[in-house]
Amino acid sequence: MERLHIAFFGPTNSGKSTLVNAICGQEVSLVSAVPGTTTDPVRKTVELPELGPCVLIDTAGLDDTGILGSERERRSRAVIDETDIAVVLDAPDATVPSGPVRDLIATLDAAGVPYLIHRREDSVPALLQRLAAAAPREAERFLTGGLVHAGSSVLLVMPQDSEAPKGRLILPQVQVLRELLDRGCVPHSCTPDSLQDALQSLARLPDLVITDSQVFGLVERSIPRECPLTSFSVLLAAAKGDIHAFVEGAGAIAALKPGDRVLIAEACTHVPDTEDIGRVKIPALLRKRAGDISVDIAAGNDFPEDLSPYSLIIHCGACVANARLVRSRIRKARLAGVPITNYGIAIAALQGILSRISLP
Ligand SMILES: Nc1nc2c(ncn2[C@@H]2O[C@H](COP(=O)(O)OP(=O)(O)O)[C@@H](O)[C@H]2O)c(=O)[nH]1
Ligand code: SF4
Ligand SMILES: [Mg+2]
């Protein structure tokens, strides 16, 4: 289940950090009467009885230059992209919303982010109740959607190469595995090297094969045509974002030509390694297809304001981000008229096997 992202916005010293701390019942952010104590957004993962699993995001104060001012405010504004619901505070003496708060509200409205106004005299339990009533809740969806049912035999192909973290599986693999168990399916797993052995050990063909997208082509060639095939990133793309927008966006790969610019957008700032899918593998595949294209990387919050230079945006699987963030980026891409796809879909398109993929 996705954590509800609740962000707290307001002028400096309006009491954002105090409120976040009161909700958590512990010191999360440094509270001080000195303006500007909270410089970077501070995230706190909490489980609230009224709201379930949440991420509370305490932001830097809006100052008199409004939300378009400093770098610090730019970072606060990037928070809007991942906000499911905002809590807006104002200066204690404000009787009508101050200029920066009006700007903020206009920005939230434009981004389609619901918000509540909180005043100092309002109690924390009352705020939590209002949040619970107003928070957008997505119907709980399965990553594997209609691709499986109770009793389905599912083969998971999971390379454990140098990119795989030592001693554990990555989150999408763990999530899918857990979901299959919850749904009464029978998951089997192997690495690409042991795929043939795995198939032979099964009494019948699996009802579904889910592979890491990096070895999609190899797996596709190794399993019978009638065996449904998808990838972890396709399942995640469908849960986080808009699979149809991504499939449509992947159509732009065929039109790429030398000199075009492609943006690789990553939702987090992980430390890339020599086999990094977004920084190494996808650019290599694109250049093999389209010649000398240039590739820009935007990590974490550095998603560019101006998307017009790009012929295509390829977003990561967003494993540690929420659906709201990916959807707001899809929205920005649409507004700029730039096609957007994601890693899993792009790789499948580059390998000419997009039509082979079963969508959840
Ligand atoms: N009286 C009163 N003081 C508050 C309240 N909330 C915050 N403050 C005080 O206002 C100052 C700024 O609070 P802080 O939470 O750091 O504001 P932020 O800049 O918006 O994060 C601190 O001295 C707090 O103790 C409140 O509800 N009532
Ligand atoms: S959020 Fe994106 S860039 Fe970060 S680890 Fe997950 S898929 Fe990779
Ligand atoms: Mg603060």
Side-chain angles (χ1 to χ4, degrees):
M1 187 170 133
E2 284 232 330
R3 288 184 174 272
L4 185 74
H5 284 49
I6 309 172
F8 296 77
F9 295 101
T12 315
N13 269 340
S14 54
K16 300 176 293 297
S17 300
T18 305
L19 180 58
V20 171
N21 293 350
I23 292 173
C24 297
Q26 54 178 291
E27 288 275 299
V28 178
S29 303
L30 194 55
V31 177
S32 142
V34 181
T37 306
T38 315
T39 53
D40 263 327
V42 175
R43 287 174 179 72
K44 176 70 183 171
T45 302
V46 286
E47 198 86 22
L48 297 171
E50 303 83 351
L51 290 152
C54 298
V55 178
L56 307 184
I57 310 171
D58 184 13
T59 64
L62 313 163
D63 65 22
D64 291 341
T65 61
I67 56 166
L68 297 174
S70 62
E71 167 63 20
R72 191 211 294 178
E73 286 171 2
R74 194 187 71 77
R75 269 176 262 171
S76 293
R77 203 148 46 102
V79 170
I80 292 176
D81 286 345
E82 59 174 309
T83 300
D84 294 305
I85 186 162
V87 176
V88 178
L89 294 85
D90 208 339
D93 51 355
T95 47
V96 292
S98 55
V101 169
R102 281 199 309 273
D103 283 357
L104 168 77
I105 287 174
T107 308
L108 292 171
D109 277 334
V113 177
Y115 61 89
L116 298 176
I117 309 271
H118 178 81
R119 299 185 191 289
R120 285 191 174 188
E121 55 273 23
D122 302 338
S123 75
V124 168
L127 172 65
L128 293 179
Q129 274 178 12
R130 288 167 69 211
L131 279 169
R137 275 277 173 219
E138 301 212 0
E140 213 171 317
R141 277 208 325 229
F142 290 120
L143 289 166
T144 44
L147 290 173
V148 298
H149 49 80
S152 294
S153 151
V154 184
L155 180 58
L156 309 176
V157 187
M158 303 180 287
Q160 303 302 317
D161 57 15
S162 69
E163 212 174 322
K166 225 176 164 54
R168 63 181 172 87
L169 298 175
I170 60 174
L171 191 59
Q173 297 167 349
V174 174
Q175 284 173 333
V176 168
L177 188 53
R178 174 61 200 264
E179 179 180 298
L180 292 173
L181 294 171
D182 286 347
R183 295 187 74 180
C185 302
V186 185
H188 312 274
S189 51
C190 64
T191 62
D193 291 343
S194 57
L195 175 58
Q196 286 310 327
D197 289 341
L199 287 170
Q200 274 162 28
S201 73
L202 298 175
R204 59 181 170 88
L205 272 184
D207 299 306
L208 178 66
V209 175
I210 308 175
T211 179
D212 188 295
S213 56
Q214 296 182 49
V215 289
F216 204 108
L218 174 85
V219 174
E220 199 264 335
R221 290 189 298 276
S222 310
I223 63 172
R225 191 89 211 139
E226 61 269 27
C227 188
L229 172 64
T230 193
S231 73
F232 291 100
S233 21
V234 167
L235 299 183
L236 275 147
K240 294 196 181 189
D242 178 343
I243 192 80
H244 300 288
F246 287 155
V247 169
E248 191 189 315
I253 291 175
L256 286 177
K257 54 185 187 315
D260 281 352
R261 270 172 88 179
V262 173
L263 178 69
I264 301 278
E266 300 175 334
C268 81
T269 50
H270 67 291
V271 180
D273 82 351
T274 52
E275 288 182 55
D276 194 85
I277 182 166
R279 296 176 184 229
V280 182
K281 291 186 177 172
I282 290 179
L285 285 169
L286 289 174
R287 291 195 175 104
K288 204 170 141 197
R289 159 72 62 104
D292 192 16
I293 54 157
S294 60
V295 175
D296 294 350
I297 312 279
N301 281 338
D302 293 334
F303 194 73
E305 288 293 315
D306 181 12
L307 298 172
S308 62
Y310 298 105
S311 304
L312 175 66
I313 300 164
I314 307 182
H315 205 283
C316 76
C319 65
V320 299
N322 63 350
R324 173 94 212 173
L325 177 81
V326 181
R327 290 205 196 104
S328 59
R329 289 175 172 185
I330 292 175
R331 200 160 162 272
K332 288 179 182 178
R334 283 223 170 105
L335 284 173
V338 181
I340 182 166
T341 188
N342 94 327
Y343 286 5
I345 302 293
I347 287 177
L350 283 159
Q351 292 169 334
I353 49 180
L354 199 47
S355 58
R356 175 71 172 89
I357 290 181
S358 298
L359 300 177

